[in-house]
Amino acid sequence: GQQVMQIPQYQHVQEGEDFTTYCNSSTTLSNIQWYKQRPGGHPVFLIQLVKSGEVKKQKRLTFQFGEAKKNSSLHITATQTTDVGTYFCAGPVLTGGGNKLTFGTGTQLKVEL
Amino acid sequence: NAGVTQTPKFRVLKTGQSMTLLCAQDMNHEYMYWYRQDPGMGLRLIHYSVGEGTTAKGEVPDGYNVSRLKKQNFLLGLESAAPSQTSVYFCASTSSAPSYEQYFGPGTRLTVT
């Protein structure tokens, strides 16, 4: 079945270091979404990428969608303690309608002072 | 707007007991979802609904039932709880427009002993 994998599973960085998480799908995606979940919180939508090769920026966060639309990445420049949390990518489920999403396994980011 | 709300926030059940989790949204969304989140496994879809009076199975539906009698509410039932159902449960909703972001509730942390 359709699978979305993320690496790494965990990442510890010093504040000010950069961070990247990678998302790989077993199938071609029409779009990809990214969510952030703070510790003890719920997932919150960050962004959606639709076009092949698309790059979008949100302040220190840079999102990329691969040319083949099967992979994506999130890069954070100069991490801050406010970046702590788990980052999930999600792709639409191909069958059955209902705007269903398949979520990646997530990358948990810890930022140390 | 409250967005998506869930009750209760926490619950401890004994094996074999039953309970119902309530999700409510005030965004007039057509689609609603129930997920469970377990460490290292991301979010897995239990059941979903594309409109009032309709429900469908997701990835991990066994042991759960759902009902959507009103558009704004989506109920998740556990008829006979098992320790394997210890998890954090999230409800989400979204518009019926294609590829729309999902809005999540704060979650219910369930422990089955």
Side-chain angles (χ1 to χ4, degrees):
Chain A
Q2 185 179 359
Q3 291 186 330
V4 178
M5 302 299 294
Q6 277 183 259
I7 55 170
Q9 189 173 3
Y10 302 98
Q11 185 84 61
H12 289 204
V13 299
Q14 295 288 120
E15 190 177 40
E17 292 181 337
D18 292 356
F19 159 78
T20 305
T21 173
Y22 299 92
C23 177
N24 293 287
S25 170
S26 59
T27 59
T28 302
L29 301 171
S30 59
N31 65 82
I32 194 157
Q33 299 181 9
W34 284 91
Y35 291 78
K36 177 183 178 181
Q37 183 178 20
R38 295 182 186 276
H42 58 278
V44 175
F45 174 82
L46 292 176
I47 206 162
Q48 178 177 264
L49 304 171
V50 178
K51 298 177 183 176
S52 170
E54 188 171 15
V55 178
K56 285 188 176 181
K57 293 189 176 184
Q58 288 180 349
K59 297 183 180 178
R60 295 177 295 103
L61 278 61
T62 301
F63 303 85
Q64 288 189 315
F65 200 10
E67 294 290 341
K69 302 183 79 173
K70 293 184 73 173
N71 56 73
S72 182
S73 65
L74 159 59
H75 179 83
I76 302 178
T77 303
T79 54
Q80 300 176 357
T81 54
T82 53
D83 296 324
V84 165
T86 301
Y87 293 85
F88 294 97
C89 61
V93 174
L94 299 176
T95 58
N99 282 358
K100 300 189 297 294
L101 294 173
T102 294
F103 282 82
T105 45
T107 296
Q108 185 178 345
L109 173 64
K110 293 191 176 181
V111 180
E112 299 172 356
L113 292 172
Chain B
N1 288 351
V4 181
T5 58
Q6 291 182 234
T7 53
K9 287 185 169 53
F10 303 94
R11 186 74 187 267
V12 177
L13 288 179
K14 297 191 178 194
T15 298
Q17 287 185 322
S18 64
M19 79 164 294
T20 301
L21 283 66
L22 172 63
C23 175
Q25 53 95 6
D26 62 3
M27 296 173 282
N28 201 35
H29 284 163
E30 288 293 332
Y31 297 167
M32 296 186 74
Y33 313 87
W34 276 106
Y35 294 93
R36 60 177 290 171
Q37 184 175 39
D38 303 294
M41 300 190 73
L43 292 151
R44 293 184 292 169
L45 183 65
I46 305 171
H47 286 280
Y48 66 101
S49 168
V50 298
E52 182 178 314
T54 71
T55 63
K57 294 180 180 179
E59 181 187 356
V60 289
D62 293 343
Y64 305 95
N65 57 75
V66 288
S67 64
R68 184 124 180 248
L69 299 179
K70 293 183 179 181
K71 185 178 182 178
Q72 63 268 33
N73 296 337
F74 195 26
L75 278 64
L76 177 71
L78 286 73
E79 290 186 346
S80 180
S84 61
Q85 294 178 304
T86 293
S87 188
V88 180
Y89 292 86
F90 288 101
C91 175
S93 71
T94 192
S95 162
S96 56
S99 304
Y100 208 76
E101 66 188 88
Q102 292 190 7
Y103 292 81
F104 284 80
T108 295
R109 187 172 295 274
L110 175 66
T111 301
V112 183
T113 61

